[in-house]
Amino acid sequence: MILGGSFTAALPFLAEQPVLPAFGFLAFVTWRLLAPELLPPWSAIGFGAFDDLVSGNPLGTAILLWTITALVLPWVERAFLFRTWRQDWMIMGTVAIAYHAALWLLSPLNGGSPVPPLALLVPAALSLLAVPVLARLATGPGEPDPRRT
C-alpha cells in the first residue's frame, strides 16, 4: 500500500502546480498510527528512499521527512493513549499539512522553482479527504480498527 501510494507521483498528470497529495506518505502514517508494531521507525528510511526515487524529489528529502515523522509519531501515541478515529484524522491531517509545507520550504533549496504558498491548499485539502479512505484500506473492508479489538 505504501509503495503503491508512492507510485501515484509517477502518474501522467499534467498540472502547473502540485495537485496530488503524497499518498505514499499518508499510507505510511496510516500504518504507523493503526498498527505501529508492523512498521518499525527505521522502515521510514527505505520507504522514503523509494519515494524519492519514484517521485523525482532529490534523494534524501523524503528520507529525512519520513524519518522525522516516524520518530515523532510515538510521542503522539503516548500523548493520546485512547484515540478515536477523529483524533487519528486530526493527527494525520496535521502531519500531512506539515509534510507538504516542509516540501514547499525545501523545494527552492533543492533547485526547484519557487511555488506560491497558496499552491499547498489543493494537496492539503486532498490529503484531508484521503485520510478516511486510506484508513479503511489499511483496516480492510468490514474489519474493526485493530487497536480496538
Side-chain angles (χ1 to χ4, degrees), residues 74-136:
W75 291 349
V76 172
E77 290 174 1
R78 278 187 236 124
F80 299 108
L81 291 178
F82 301 103
R83 294 188 318 259
T84 64
W85 64 272
R86 289 183 188 98
Q87 289 169 325
D88 283 345
W89 198 346
M90 180 190 68
I91 292 166
M92 289 176 61
T94 304
V95 168
I97 290 170
Y99 179 76
H100 285 292
L103 284 178
W104 176 75
L105 289 172
L106 290 175
S107 68
L109 298 175
N110 294 330
S113 61
V115 178
L118 290 177
L120 294 176
L121 292 178
V122 174
L126 289 175
S127 295
L128 291 174
L129 293 174
V131 167
V133 174
L134 290 171
R136 178 49 66 189

Side-chain angles (χ1 to χ4, degrees), residues 49-66:
F50 181 81
D51 188 68
D52 279 338
L53 293 173
V54 172
S55 68
N57 287 334
L59 191 61
T61 305
I63 296 171
L64 173 70
L65 296 176
W66 288 38

Side-chain angles (χ1 to χ4, degrees), residues 24-34 69 73 91-92 95:
F25 177 73
L26 290 173
F28 177 75
V29 173
T30 301
W31 279 105
R32 285 289 299 156
L33 285 175
L34 294 179
T69 303
L73 283 178
I91 292 166
M92 289 176 61
V95 168

